[in-house]
């Protein structure tokens, strides 16, 4: 028995075990109800990167096409919009920021042409919320960071805990200690208006911690840090009226990207124990120091020191006066750049800048500097966004479509199985085993890369069934021709695979080119189909040309009749 065949089959078995391991998290999540699924993903954020994501057409959601509204623009404004090469990048940044705030799994945002943006929001059912959030004007403001002392931030967190204790007592302040009541009254934290019943129920939920401070991962000189999994809880607490008074004229705003750390010479995302990425929570002045409407231009350029990139700013005359006033009064403090309530940067004010020309330095990479420049220019879009098309897919419709698609796949698989076993005997059964292995490996590959399965993707799986069987049919027919020509079984198998190789590769390579083109120019479901097809082509080549051949030789060698075997069940 050849060792190469044994090792080949062992590696194939290992791949099968790994494939099943990759699919176990998906089975664990999707066998539960949608509510339980969200709970599982919130408690274990790492799980979101281990499962096969479902597209909008399967789990339901909203698909919107956003366009630039030029109906009220003058000819001069329309011409400026047409010539603005960076306009859609700014629109993309604004929309991406708002979509991320929804906390959805695998949303899709894609620029189409020069004036449209396609947004897919899986799992969202309220179209009015989506319309309001995506079409409103962008808000760019500059806020001062409230404190450079972590003791003050800790004091604010303690105040929030006290206000939360009042809300948790449902207005029964007499149950609190007398000294605690005096301190709350002095800080104006005793809530005169009742807290909404649903808010109290959320606060009393046993799955959450009892204090605001317990949700905080770390505090430093300018902000606090908290895991993304705690964002919904923190936001709901900060929205309570009594808690807002506890902030003493300040507001907390999230950073747009998670924190990073240097470890072993490489950069990694800072994560909590449950795997959730850590975000910075800035404590800012509630009122902005100035708006972003007077910013004329922001541009990324190489830093003067020759290391990294910086962002150059240019204000109009009114903005220059305002910027000079703000920087002159607050030298040494940090000025946060806030787009739609999200902090993108908080540079230090080193000196008064009366000229209206400034630069933001920080050893940025080129991509980071370009992103910040786009954010700064996003506060003054030349034209508003309008929802040109909105489609809502209900989860029941998605489940019905999946059921029909799976029924079609199972019916096709059964017909293929019957035909192959009837026509090619035991060799046909081998082809069916290769086909099942093909499907398992393709789905596992998609799950391991966090790909999204859509209805066209399921169609791609059905197509893979036909492609995989087609390759096996070509091989089997070549083997039969060699047997008719008088070759031994072992020789016929080797020559059959050799003669079929070119035809199979030609067919799959041309299909592969088409799949790559679909992925490159397509969007949403079309890309899902292309990803499934590309994965299926590579796996079907392995199962048809390698796996089945190894099984043939393993059986021949195991029987010890390499030269004596006269008949093949084919």
């Amino acid at each position: 028995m050849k060792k190469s065949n044994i090792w080949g089959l062992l590696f194939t078995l290992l791949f099968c075990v790994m494939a099943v391991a990759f699919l176990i998290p998906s089975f664990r999540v999707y066998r539960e109800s949608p509510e339980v699924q969200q709970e599982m993903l919130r408690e274990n954020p790492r799980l979101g990167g281990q499962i096969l994501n479902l597209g909008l057409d399967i789990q339901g959601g909203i698909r919107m096409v956003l366009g630039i509204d030029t109906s009220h623009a003058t000819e001069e404004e329309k011409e400026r919009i047409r010539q603005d090469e960076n306009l859609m990048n700014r629109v993309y940044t604004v929309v991406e920021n708002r979509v991320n705030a929804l906390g959805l799994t695998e949303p899709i945002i894609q620029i189409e042409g020069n004036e449209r943006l396609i947004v897919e929001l899986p799992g969202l059912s309220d179209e009015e919320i989506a319309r309001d959030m995506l079409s409103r004007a962008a808000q760019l403001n500059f806020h001062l960071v409230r404190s450079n002392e972590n003791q003050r931030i800790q004091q604010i967190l303690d105040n929030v805990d006290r206000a939360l204790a009042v809300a948790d007592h449902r207005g029964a302040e007499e149950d609190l200690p007398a000294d605690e009541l005096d301190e709350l009254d002095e800080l104006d934290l005793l809530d005169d208006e009742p807290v909404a019943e649903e808010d109290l129920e959320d606060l009393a939920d046993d799955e959450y911690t009892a204090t605001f401070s317990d949700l905080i991962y770390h505090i430093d000189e300018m902000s606090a840090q908290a895991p993304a999994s705690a964002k919904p809880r923190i936001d709901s607490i900060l929205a309570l009226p009594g808690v807002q008074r506890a902030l003493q004229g300040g507001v907390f705003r999230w950073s747009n990207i998670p924190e990073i750390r240097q470890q072993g010479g490489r950069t990694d995302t800072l994560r909590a124990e449950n795997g959730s990425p850590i975000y910075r929570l800035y404590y800012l002045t509630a009122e902005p120091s100035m708006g972003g409407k007077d910013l004329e231009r922001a541009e990324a350029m190489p830093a003067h020191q020759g290391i990294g990139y910086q962002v150059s700013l240019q204000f109009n005359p009114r903005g220059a006066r305002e910027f000079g006033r703000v920087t002159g009064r607050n030298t040494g403090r940090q000025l946060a750049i806030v787009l739609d309530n999200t902090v993108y940067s908080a540079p230090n004010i080193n000196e008064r800048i009366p000229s209206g020309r400034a630069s933001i330095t920080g050893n940025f990479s080129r991509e980071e500097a370009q992103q910040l420049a786009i954010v700064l220019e996003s506060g003054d879009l030349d034209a508003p966004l309008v929802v040109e098309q909105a489609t809502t897919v209900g989860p029941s419709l998605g489940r019905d479509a999946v059921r029909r698609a799976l029924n079609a796949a199972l019916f096709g698989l059964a017909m293929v199985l019957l035909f192959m076993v009837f026509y090619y005997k035991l060799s046909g059964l081998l082809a069916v085993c290769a086909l099942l292995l093909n499907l398992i490996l393709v789905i596992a590959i998609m799950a391991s890369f966090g790909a999204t399965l859509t209805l066209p993707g399921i169609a791609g799986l059905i197509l893979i069934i036909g492609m995989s069987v087609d390759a096996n049919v070509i091989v089997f027919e070549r083997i039969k021709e060699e047997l008719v020509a008088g070759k031994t079984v072992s020789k016929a198998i080797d020559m059959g695979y050799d003669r079929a190789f070119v035809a199979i590769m030609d067919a799959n390579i041309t299909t592969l080119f088409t799949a790559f083109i679909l992925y490159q120019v397509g969007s949403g479901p079309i890309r899902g189909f292309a990803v499934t097809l590309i994965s299926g082509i590579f796996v079907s080549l392995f199962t048809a040309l390698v796996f089945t051949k190894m099984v043939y030789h393993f059986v021949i060698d195991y029987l010890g009749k390499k030269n004596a075997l006269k008949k093949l069940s084919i």
Side-chain angles (χ1 to χ4, degrees), residues 103 115 139 268 473:
E115 296 182 357
Q139 295 290 329
D268 291 325
V473 168

Side-chain angles (χ1 to χ4, degrees), residues 54-61 393-410 453-459 461-462 525:
L54 300 182
L56 180 146
D57 50 1
I58 293 180
Q59 66 169 310
V393 179
S396 59
L397 181 61
R399 286 193 295 269
D400 183 63
V402 171
R403 180 180 57 81
R404 292 173 180 270
L406 290 179
N407 288 340
L410 292 175
L453 181 64
T454 61
L455 285 178
I458 295 178
L461 291 175
I462 298 174

Side-chain angles (χ1 to χ4, degrees), residues 488-521:
T488 63
V489 170
S490 179
K491 190 68 173 177
I493 290 173
D494 289 335
M495 294 190 66
Y497 276 95
D498 291 342
R499 290 182 58 195
F501 180 83
V502 174
I504 293 174
M505 290 300 296
D506 283 347
N508 281 274
I509 288 175
T510 53
T511 307
L512 190 63
F513 283 150
T514 304
F516 276 125
I517 293 173
L518 286 175
Y519 181 83
Q520 194 66 29
V521 303

Side-chain angles (χ1 to χ4, degrees), residues 257 260 299-303 307-311 360-373:
I257 57 175
I260 59 174
E299 183 179 4
M301 59 179 56
I307 302 176
Y309 280 75
Q310 66 182 29
V311 179
I360 302 174
T361 59
N363 196 24
F364 297 114
S365 67
R366 180 178 180 180
E367 292 74 17
E368 291 170 339
Q370 289 175 338
Q371 173 68 13
L372 183 56

Side-chain angles (χ1 to χ4, degrees), residues 36-287:
V36 176
Q37 291 176 19
Q38 292 296 325
E39 182 65 24
M40 293 174 67
L41 294 174
R42 183 173 60 188
E43 291 182 353
N44 185 6
R46 283 196 179 98
L47 196 59
Q50 299 171 354
I51 64 174
L52 180 65
N53 298 302
L54 300 182
L56 180 146
D57 50 1
I58 293 180
Q59 66 169 310
I62 298 174
R63 183 180 190 270
M64 287 188 168
V65 178
L66 303 178
I68 303 297
D69 185 8
T70 59
S71 58
H72 301 290
T74 64
E75 290 300 323
E76 181 181 352
E77 291 173 336
K78 291 179 180 179
E79 182 62 26
R80 187 166 64 249
I81 291 172
R82 283 192 291 267
Q83 294 180 357
D84 190 348
E85 298 179 355
N86 212 29
L87 176 61
M88 291 310 299
N89 288 329
R90 299 191 337 248
V91 172
Y92 182 98
T93 299
V94 172
V95 172
E96 181 184 41
N97 180 41
R98 295 173 181 177
V99 169
N100 289 340
L102 294 173
L104 302 177
T105 303
E106 292 297 318
I108 296 175
I109 308 171
Q110 184 176 1
I111 297 175
E112 184 182 69
N114 297 324
E115 296 182 357
R116 284 181 176 82
L117 201 68
I118 297 176
V119 182
E120 294 186 358
L121 308 172
L124 187 65
S125 58
D126 195 327
E127 185 177 319
E128 289 303 316
I129 291 179
R131 282 180 176 271
D132 177 67
M133 176 170 287
L134 297 181
S135 61
R136 69 171 183 259
Q139 295 290 329
L140 176 69
N141 291 302
F142 296 87
H143 291 251
L144 288 168
V145 177
R146 276 292 299 266
S147 173
N148 289 325
E149 300 178 359
N150 56 9
Q151 292 88 351
R152 176 170 176 79
I153 294 180
Q154 183 62 61
Q155 178 187 352
I156 295 299
L157 298 181
D158 292 340
N159 290 346
V160 173
D161 286 339
R162 295 188 184 100
L164 201 58
V166 174
D168 193 43
H169 278 73
R170 299 176 183 266
E173 290 87 357
E174 63 273 8
D175 294 339
L176 296 175
D179 56 343
E180 187 83 0
L181 274 173
D182 293 340
E183 188 173 2
L184 290 172
D185 189 38
E186 182 179 345
L187 291 171
D188 193 25
L189 298 184
L190 294 180
D191 204 352
D192 295 330
E193 51 185 302
V195 181
E197 186 68 24
E198 58 269 20
D199 291 334
L200 287 172
E201 291 175 357
D202 289 341
L203 291 172
D205 198 335
D206 291 336
E207 66 178 322
Y208 292 124
T209 182
T211 67
F212 183 75
S213 297
D214 289 339
L215 296 169
I216 302 301
Y217 177 82
H218 176 69
I219 62 173
D220 56 26
E221 293 183 352
M222 64 177 181
S223 59
Q225 295 175 353
S229 57
K231 272 188 174 184
R233 173 63 173 163
I234 290 176
D235 290 341
S236 65
I237 290 176
L238 294 177
L240 294 174
V243 171
Q244 290 179 2
R245 287 200 293 273
L247 298 181
Q248 299 182 0
V251 292
F252 279 108
R253 292 289 181 257
W254 293 99
S255 62
N256 70 308
I257 57 175
E259 294 293 288
I260 59 174
R261 62 178 177 181
Q262 299 290 337
Q263 189 175 23
R266 65 177 185 177
T267 301
D268 291 325
T269 299
L270 182 62
R271 296 182 182 275
E273 291 183 359
N274 65 353
S276 180
I278 301 296
Y279 283 78
R280 191 171 293 275
L281 195 58
Y282 289 89
Y283 181 51
L284 311 176
T285 54
E287 295 298 324

Side-chain angles (χ1 to χ4, degrees), residues 322-341:
E322 189 69 12
F323 194 63
R325 179 188 64 81
V326 172
T327 55
R329 293 180 179 179
N330 299 284
T331 301
R333 298 184 65 180
Q334 289 178 289
L335 188 65
I337 301 169
V338 184
L339 176 64
D340 287 341
N341 294 328

